[in-house]
Amino acid sequence: MLIKKRSDIRASDITDEALYLRRREFMRVAGGAALLAAAPPWLQACSAGAVDDTGAGAAAPAGQSPLSNYTPRVVATDEKLNTFDEITSYNNFYEFGLGKGDPQRYAGRMTTSPWTVKIDGHCNNPADYLLEDLIRPHQLEERIYRLRCVEAWSMVIPWIGIPLNEVIKRAEPTGKASFVAFETLQRPSEMPGLRQRSLNWPYVEGLRMDEAMHPLTILSVGLYGKTLMNQNGAPIRLVVPWKYGFKSIKSIVRISFVDRQPRTAWSEATPREYGFYSNVNPNVDHPRWSQARERRLPSLFARHTTQMFNGYGEEVASMYAGMDLKKYY
Amino acid sequence: MIRFARPVLFLAALLPLAWLVFAVLTGRASANPAEDILLTTGIWSLRFLLASLAITPVRRITGWHRLIQYRRMLGLFAFFYAVLHVLSYIAFDRFFVLGEIWADVVKRPFITAGMTAFVLMIPLAVTSTRGWIQRLGRRWQLLHRLVYVSAVAGVLHFVWKVKVVIGEPVFYAVILAVLLGFRVVWRLRRSGAR
Ligand code: HEM
């Protein structure tokens, strides 16, 4: 895949994905697998309760469908994966409550089908897309990424999704689009956490256009070979592996091309603690704790050294060349 | 019944710890058991601290004077859970790196407050024996007023720790305010009566 240079997108910092995939030793392109999957029938393949062949240990719980036609390990790591159970039982999703177990407990009642994503703002093809229509034209890929939470814990998660830049290119942003804003579903009848004024709902996030176009940035629709559980942000969520987890907004209903840095939920709630960029950075502490190390769950000890840009510096650092990352935290 | 009250209370006070150990060993804890341990020991330390502070007002209001026998045990359990809490912070969060711990204490108000609450508990726990009570005489009373400072620091630690919804720590702050309020009112009345 080649990202075409267009005047309306600052492409100067974007790595050619083909080149980039070849470059890193920890990334393995599964040869030929992409050819097998000419038309990813990603939702047609539904059959509830299918046998789990991922080693995750459990058959797909009700409401989850297996995803078959994805290219495995497009980006991968040698690190040990977290289990399906860990990934789906320990979540921050304040729409369902503040406790880490609340999303698993309460997210089940969220209706995710049908699901529409509104794409609007400065682009030539604004539309309300049904989820299927948004995903189907693209090849699903498995991306095994580290997830570093701002709370100093981390996991390794085998996401399945599509590069966000493919969706962006279809929308054809205009020259005015310099940021992309995202919005989470806000549905009080299904989200008990909305009653708490913990954040200014709906949850909103944003990326600079070059960050959104970066080949590592994906829209995820599944993990461990199955569609996402609600607590992980079903049916579609962002994953930006070099930023703290809260940037990877869940259950997206709107993607907007905007000309100004959009407001983001956490930097609005406590601007001193959470900035717009929120790149993983061991040298910039959170006011209440150090970010130098992290606890790779479920380990007891926080002995894992946190890496700059969560270890994706080689791919992304150039986007921030010359920026004072202490100021733009 | 009263005869069994002490051992029953003692065992009951160990239940939070027993539950933690059981949950962690049997995989019933969350995917982040270190956090479960840290938060559970912290909240129970604060609860026992407030319970020990509630003894005097409850005695005076209900006239149930025997309650005094349980005050020391409650205070020592507050210390016990605080020790576990601080140890789990040192081991799990800071991985025994002393420089980091010191940096936390001087840089982060919520840790400074927690440390204050903890350090003030130490002399109180040490002097809680009959021998020390007799040796210190009236000064013992004076010394043990430090518990008020420790409790205020403990609640502040909780309030400052929280991210966006401060309902729970405020709940504890209100309880502490009521418990301290009794003492202030009594003191004012006493000096007014003179
Ligand atoms: C050196 C002393 C202490 C240190 C370093 C310390 C550290 C911590 C840390 C790191 C947390 C977790 C913060 C988080 O996960 O966001 C915490 C939470 C807490 N600590 Fe401490 N602490 C100390 C002393 C105390 C003492 C003496 C008390 C009780 C009087 C206490 C009560 C609490 C409470 C109630 C919580 C929150 C529990 C919850 O959220 O459910 N801490 N403390």
Side-chain angles (χ1 to χ4, degrees):
Chain A
M1 184 213 66
L2 236 152
I3 295 159
K4 288 193 205 81
K5 210 173 182 125
R6 272 209 312 254
S7 58
D8 50 20
I9 292 169
R10 272 187 285 161
S12 53
D13 291 329
I14 301 167
T15 326
D16 177 317
E17 191 175 27
L19 239 182
Y20 148 88
L21 289 175
R22 249 176 278 133
R23 197 174 60 211
R24 294 280 286 176
E25 77 291 354
F26 70 85
M27 296 172 179
R28 289 173 208 140
V29 185
L35 300 173
L36 293 173
W42 85 283
L43 276 178
Q44 288 96 311
C46 298
S47 68
V51 182
D52 168 42
D53 59 350
T54 61
Q64 271 201 294
S65 320
L67 293 170
S68 47
N69 281 308
Y70 61 87
T71 317
R73 300 177 72 85
V74 171
V75 178
T77 157
D78 292 335
E79 291 153 289
K80 188 168 176 283
L81 297 189
N82 280 92
T83 65
F84 183 79
D85 191 46
E86 286 157 3
I87 297 168
T88 55
S89 67
Y90 188 81
N91 309 94
N92 278 318
F93 199 163
Y94 280 16
E95 281 83 342
F96 297 102
L98 304 178
K100 296 287 193 293
D102 289 342
Q104 183 181 42
R105 217 166 292 137
Y106 303 118
R109 63 177 86 155
M110 176 170 67
T111 318
T112 57
S113 174
W115 191 272
T116 331
V117 180
K118 179 190 265 316
I119 297 190
D120 63 356
H122 300 297
C123 64
N124 293 328
N125 305 320
D128 288 350
Y129 286 89
L130 272 180
L131 180 67
E132 298 84 306
D133 301 333
L134 192 66
I135 301 302
R136 202 178 285 130
H138 308 284
Q139 171 59 43
L140 290 177
E141 300 175 356
E142 183 182 47
R143 304 281 188 113
I144 303 179
Y145 285 158
R146 291 175 287 276
L147 174 94
R148 171 59 157 80
C149 179
V150 74
E151 297 164 342
W153 54 265
S154 60
M155 292 195 189
V156 180
I157 304 178
W159 302 107
I160 292 170
I162 58 173
L164 172 63
N165 60 35
E166 295 185 10
V167 171
I168 292 181
K169 276 180 278 176
R170 264 210 293 160
E172 292 185 18
T174 66
K176 274 190 171 163
S178 40
F179 290 90
V180 187
F182 304 85
E183 202 175 295
T184 295
L185 177 73
Q186 179 184 17
R187 192 180 288 155
S189 60
E190 296 177 358
M191 297 174 144
L194 293 180
R195 259 171 281 148
Q196 271 163 321
R197 292 283 156 78
S198 49
L199 296 167
N200 189 7
W201 309 115
Y203 194 91
V204 286
E205 256 306 335
L207 294 173
R208 219 167 55 186
M209 187 54 102
D210 57 341
E211 298 174 326
M213 290 300 290
H214 193 281
L216 282 178
T217 305
I218 61 167
L219 284 171
S220 170
V221 294
L223 59 85
Y224 263 126
K226 290 174 274 199
T227 53
L228 290 174
M229 299 285 283
N230 285 357
Q231 60 265 36
N232 294 113
I236 184 165
R237 64 167 295 166
L238 187 69
V239 180
V240 194
W242 72 93
K243 291 176 180 283
Y244 291 121
F246 66 86
K247 292 292 292 182
S248 293
I249 183 170
K250 300 188 173 93
S251 304
I252 299 171
V253 292
R254 185 172 175 195
I255 300 176
S256 311
F257 297 98
V258 295
D259 53 12
R260 227 170 288 168
Q261 182 174 306
R263 69 185 186 91
T264 61
W266 276 105
S267 66
E268 200 171 61
T270 47
R272 213 171 58 86
E273 302 186 353
Y274 308 100
F276 174 79
Y277 285 94
S278 293
N279 293 317
V280 174
N281 187 341
N283 309 314
V284 177
D285 284 357
H286 184 281
R288 277 175 286 131
W289 58 83
S290 156
Q291 296 289 25
R293 276 174 303 104
E294 66 201 51
R295 176 178 293 134
R296 178 60 54 81
L297 299 186
S299 162
L300 285 177
F301 299 97
R303 61 176 164 219
H304 219 88
T305 309
T306 293
Q307 304 173 71
M308 189 67 204
F309 298 115
N310 203 21
Y312 301 99
E314 203 173 307
E315 291 79 27
V316 304
S318 62
M319 287 192 290
Y320 309 102
M323 264 176 77
D324 180 356
L325 296 179
K326 283 209 157 66
K327 185 166 167 224
Y328 297 101
Y329 53 93
Chain B
M1 190 210 122
I2 294 293
R3 203 149 51 93
F4 296 116
R6 284 174 70 82
V8 166
L9 183 65
F10 185 87
L11 290 177
L14 285 172
L15 280 180
L17 177 63
W19 166 250
L20 258 188
V21 172
F22 173 73
V24 170
L25 293 184
T26 60
R28 280 174 175 78
S30 76
N32 192 350
E35 182 185 63
D36 299 339
I37 296 169
L38 190 66
L39 299 186
T40 307
T41 51
I43 199 75
W44 281 100
S45 173
L46 188 60
R47 284 174 185 162
F48 281 112
L49 195 59
L50 295 179
S52 72
L53 282 174
I55 294 285
T56 299
V58 171
R59 275 176 79 211
R60 285 185 62 157
I61 290 163
T62 64
W64 189 10
H65 291 288
R66 277 203 224 180
L67 277 180
I68 191 72
Q69 320 170 35
Y70 308 115
R71 191 172 65 177
R72 173 165 59 189
M73 194 198 290
L74 292 172
L76 285 174
F77 268 111
F79 182 64
F80 173 67
Y81 279 103
V83 169
L84 295 179
H85 179 67
V86 174
L87 285 181
S88 51
Y89 158 81
I90 291 173
F92 303 152
D93 272 26
R94 294 287 138 255
F95 203 43
F96 307 104
V97 183
L98 292 181
E100 279 186 22
I101 295 167
W102 181 246
D104 262 4
V105 171
V106 297
K107 265 203 297 198
R108 308 187 202 284
F110 106 94
I111 299 284
T112 317
M115 186 56 95
T116 306
F118 179 65
V119 167
L120 292 179
M121 282 181 183
I122 297 173
L124 306 191
V126 169
T127 60
S128 66
T129 60
R130 193 157 295 163
W132 273 104
I133 294 171
Q134 280 164 3
R135 221 168 307 159
L136 289 174
R138 285 187 55 194
R139 280 170 303 164
W140 188 90
Q141 295 264 341
L142 227 60
L143 176 68
H144 277 247
R145 293 217 177 109
L146 282 179
V147 71
Y148 303 136
V149 187
S150 175
V152 169
V155 165
L156 263 186
H157 169 64
F158 196 4
V159 171
W160 283 341
K161 169 249 155 179
V162 166
K163 274 200 279 196
V164 279
V165 175
I166 58 166
E168 204 192 347
V170 164
F171 171 77
Y172 287 93
V174 168
I175 292 179
L176 178 62
V178 170
L179 294 177
L180 296 184
F182 279 119
R183 276 123 174 139
V184 172
V185 169
W186 289 330
R187 159 104 0 157
L188 290 178
R189 278 222 203 114
R190 226 187 310 153
S191 52
R194 242 180 248 151

